[in-house]
Amino acid sequence: MTTVLIADDQPMQRFGFRMLLESQDDMTVVGEAGTGTEAVGLVARHHPDVVLMDIRMPGLDGIEATRRIITSGARTRILIVTTFDLDEYAYDGLRAGASGFLVKDALPEELLAGIRAVAAGDAVVAPTLTRRLLDAYVHHLPATPGAPAAADPRITALTEREREILTVIGQGWSNTEIATRLHLAESTVKTHVTRILAKTGARDRVQAVILAYDTRLVTPM
């Protein structure tokens, strides 16, 4: 059973989410929060598998709430829900540790699939959309001119092959594309991706894409 916390400042939006989620046999809503502060407190109390996190909330917004939940060491995964698919704040949410984002008017089956994917440890944002988002808001990236990517401590433990695969993950390649283009078995690619996440501390594929940008293995087109 996947436990979900709904964090949104609009009561009717929370009601709609709750009705949808509670119609599913494999999901249950453990709480609702109207502010980021409430969301942080409820996560500490209920330890939900997934939080549906609105960005714009009074007081503590969804981005800072996400950051506090992730830095607390909680295993809860955050799914940002936003009004626009390229809302600039969505990027900040991903950097804060969210596992992906969806627009609020996503189809019900898309929202449910997204929650299940996040709960299973996958990323919701498609790699190509992630790259489009990062390219659009690359000015948020840390300014570290001149420092070689290979010197970044987050990737020094990677093998040459793992660094190559992290680079193409950042370029938006799926596992199938990586396997085909690099002439590898898809199971081998999955093993490499798992090792990359473990070595770099990235929570999921979205965070791996951000890491590829941070370390300048990938630069905007």
Side-chain angles (χ1 to χ4, degrees):
M1 180 70 68
T2 298
T3 56
V4 183
L5 174 70
I6 302 168
D8 194 297
D9 68 338
Q10 299 297 318
M12 289 305 296
Q13 185 75 67
R14 296 199 303 270
F15 176 76
F17 283 149
R18 176 182 280 276
M19 291 293 291
L20 174 63
L21 301 185
E22 292 190 338
S23 71
Q24 304 299 301
D25 294 335
D26 62 339
M27 295 184 189
T28 184
V29 176
V30 295
E32 298 180 19
T35 69
T37 300
E38 290 178 359
V40 173
L42 288 173
V43 167
R45 186 183 312 165
H46 297 294
H47 309 289
D49 298 312
V50 178
V51 176
L52 289 183
M53 183 74 76
D54 189 19
I55 290 176
R56 296 181 178 88
M57 289 188 289
L60 190 72
D61 65 22
I63 295 169
E64 183 57 29
T66 295
R67 185 175 293 111
R68 294 188 186 186
I69 290 168
I70 297 302
T71 57
S72 74
R75 297 181 63 85
T76 297
R77 292 183 177 272
I78 311 296
L79 178 55
I80 295 286
V81 287
T82 183
T83 306
F84 305 105
D85 69 343
L86 277 181
D87 187 326
E88 63 181 295
Y89 298 109
Y91 172 79
D92 293 326
L94 296 179
R95 282 193 60 81
S99 294
F101 73 96
L102 291 173
V103 291
K104 284 188 175 181
D105 59 357
L107 295 173
E109 55 266 31
E110 293 175 335
L111 178 64
L112 294 171
I115 293 171
R116 292 185 178 104
V118 167
D122 295 329
V124 169
V125 187
T128 52
L129 183 56
T130 303
R131 181 174 176 83
R132 184 160 62 95
L133 176 71
L134 291 173
D135 280 349
Y137 298 104
V138 70
H139 62 275
H140 289 269
L141 288 169
T144 53
D152 191 291
R154 290 172 293 179
I155 62 173
T156 52
L158 298 180
T159 65
E160 183 176 349
R161 174 63 88 180
E162 289 166 350
R163 188 176 288 115
E164 178 184 23
I165 290 177
L166 176 58
T167 299
V168 296
I169 287 174
Q171 292 172 345
W173 294 18
S174 67
N175 284 357
T176 300
E177 290 171 327
I178 295 172
T180 300
R181 298 182 190 185
L182 299 185
H183 307 291
L184 298 170
E186 192 160 349
S187 59
T188 300
V189 174
K190 291 179 180 178
T191 298
H192 281 307
V193 172
T194 298
R195 289 175 178 169
I196 289 167
L197 297 182
K199 288 182 178 181
T200 62
R203 286 169 62 90
D204 50 43
R205 200 181 188 94
V206 169
Q207 300 305 313
V209 173
I210 292 175
L211 176 64
Y213 271 76
D214 276 351
T215 57
R216 292 192 314 287
L217 290 174
V218 177
T219 55
M221 292 186 295

